[in-house]
Amino acid sequence: MEETPPPLQTGSKPHLEKLTLGVSRILESSPGVTEVSIIEKLPAERHMISSWEQKNNCVMPEDVRNFYLMTNGFHMTWSVKLDEHIIPLGSMVINGISKLTQLNQSSMYSLPNAPTLADLEDDDEGNEEQPEKPHFDCRSVIFELDSCNGNGKVCLVYKHGKPGLAHDTEIWFLDRALYWHFLTDTFTAYYRLLITHLGLPQWQYAFTSYGISPQAKQWFSMYKPITYNTSLLTEETDSFVNKLDPSKVFKSKNKILIPKKKGPVQPASAQKGPVPVASPTPKSSSGSANPIRK
């Protein structure tokens, strides 16, 4: 059973600064940020790693092993202060060895013949741009690194089942709809993503096809992640608002020509050629001209 020591301020321990790659100082200097803290954890003992490997029949990757020999898990949080109210916002978590458990493959409900995660297999083998997705059955072995505060799960995946080989691992994100999204090839690369995204809410969804929620985008715009993925931050704020363009909504492939309104009909003589100029007529004493009064 792991004991949870009280959180420490990052400035009190120099090695915590190295563990967070200096991000704690950046957060502390950001406007509105408060209560930046890390729950310090003791290093894991080697026999704990060996016991985990024997229990799960998987060899732990070298970078994961080195991480646990430095700290048995990671938990960093920070909050923002708005109108005298403190709101927890950022959270960076990596489970300790005792919580690095295999994703549950048992029945989703305690009923006979109830569906399991293996029943959700779609046999999508991926494509050239996207690696093969993990499988819920015995073809893959999946361990939970972070529960993402209920927004999904970040998982360490052994791609080809047991016995799990150290070089056969990847980091994937499982969203709430149970769809897989590739994150990184190695744990080290994932740890950098975790730190540089500052633990902002739903940051893992930036690596999905549907992206982060509008609310999360507002936090992203306020506290910009230190990351190469800047496309989320270059969008204009107006793009968050749905705009309705009637000309596009009602646009049809077969355009219907609407006749223009015709003006007053002119005499036939006026429609062809120039209008002839009338020649002056001489005045007649007995004509229809008005008589001149004497």
Side-chain angles (χ1 to χ4, degrees):
M1 189 72 180
E2 292 182 359
E3 296 182 359
T4 303
L8 298 175
Q9 296 298 322
T10 56
S12 61
K13 297 286 184 178
H15 69 278
L16 296 181
E17 288 281 343
K18 297 180 180 179
L19 185 63
T20 61
L21 307 179
V23 167
S24 56
R25 287 182 296 174
I26 297 176
L27 286 171
E28 289 171 348
S29 62
S30 300
V33 175
T34 184
E35 297 184 355
V36 180
S37 62
I38 298 177
I39 297 178
E40 187 177 16
K41 298 178 182 292
L42 296 175
E45 299 180 3
R46 292 186 180 274
H47 73 84
M48 298 172 64
I49 297 176
S50 300
S51 177
W52 183 92
E53 291 178 331
Q54 293 176 5
K55 176 183 177 181
N56 296 286
N57 194 18
C58 294
V59 179
M60 188 175 288
E62 189 67 22
D63 53 357
V64 180
R65 179 192 297 267
N66 292 335
F67 174 81
Y68 283 122
L69 289 175
M70 181 172 57
T71 174
N72 190 6
F74 178 70
H75 190 189
M76 178 178 179
T77 59
W78 54 279
S79 306
V80 293
K81 189 174 183 180
L82 298 175
D83 297 332
E84 304 302 325
H85 297 285
I86 296 178
I87 303 174
L89 186 61
S91 178
M92 292 169 261
V93 176
I94 293 176
N95 289 336
I97 290 182
S98 65
K99 295 183 179 179
L100 188 63
T101 56
Q102 191 170 348
L103 198 66
N104 189 11
Q105 296 181 1
S106 62
S107 180
M108 298 168 62
Y109 306 98
S110 57
L111 297 173
N113 301 321
T116 64
L117 290 176
D119 295 326
L120 301 176
E121 288 293 332
D122 56 2
D123 293 328
D124 184 5
E125 300 298 331
N127 49 50
E128 296 179 357
E129 298 180 357
Q130 190 73 246
E132 181 183 352
K133 295 181 180 179
H135 301 280
F136 290 114
D137 54 22
C138 61
R139 286 176 289 177
S140 302
V141 188
I142 306 166
F143 297 94
E144 181 181 325
L145 286 171
D146 180 14
S147 61
C148 306
N149 291 325
N151 292 316
K153 294 180 185 296
V154 174
C155 299
L156 172 68
V157 177
Y158 288 81
K159 297 182 293 181
H160 297 106
K162 295 183 179 182
L165 304 178
H167 64 273
D168 197 31
T169 58
E170 292 174 341
I171 308 297
W172 286 75
F173 174 61
L174 180 65
D175 66 19
R176 295 187 63 181
L178 301 181
Y179 286 102
W180 288 106
H181 308 276
F182 176 77
L183 292 180
T184 60
D185 290 315
T186 63
F187 174 80
T188 301
Y190 168 73
Y191 184 76
R192 291 171 180 168
L193 281 183
L194 173 66
I195 296 297
T196 55
H197 280 84
L198 309 178
L200 286 165
Q202 305 175 17
W203 71 265
Q204 297 88 354
Y205 283 87
F207 295 86
T208 67
S209 59
Y210 29 85
I212 59 178
S213 67
Q215 182 180 6
K217 282 184 179 180
Q218 299 298 330
W219 292 118
F220 268 60
S221 64
M222 293 178 62
Y223 302 100
K224 295 178 174 59
I226 313 164
T227 175
Y228 61 87
N229 188 13
T230 57
S231 60
L232 293 170
L233 308 176
T234 56
E235 298 180 1
E236 300 178 358
T237 54
D238 291 343
S239 64
F240 303 152
V241 181
N242 290 331
K243 294 183 179 181
L244 180 63
D245 188 349
S247 64
K248 293 183 179 180
V249 172
F250 299 105
K251 185 177 180 181
S252 176
K253 293 183 179 180
N254 299 325
K255 295 184 179 180
I256 301 175
L257 299 177
I258 302 175
K260 297 181 179 180
K261 294 182 179 180
K262 294 183 178 181
V265 179
Q266 297 180 356
S269 60
Q271 294 179 0
K272 296 181 180 180
V275 178
V277 180
S279 58
T281 55
K283 294 182 181 179
S284 172
S285 58
S286 61
S288 60
N290 296 330
I292 300 174
R293 294 182 181 179
K294 293 182 180 180

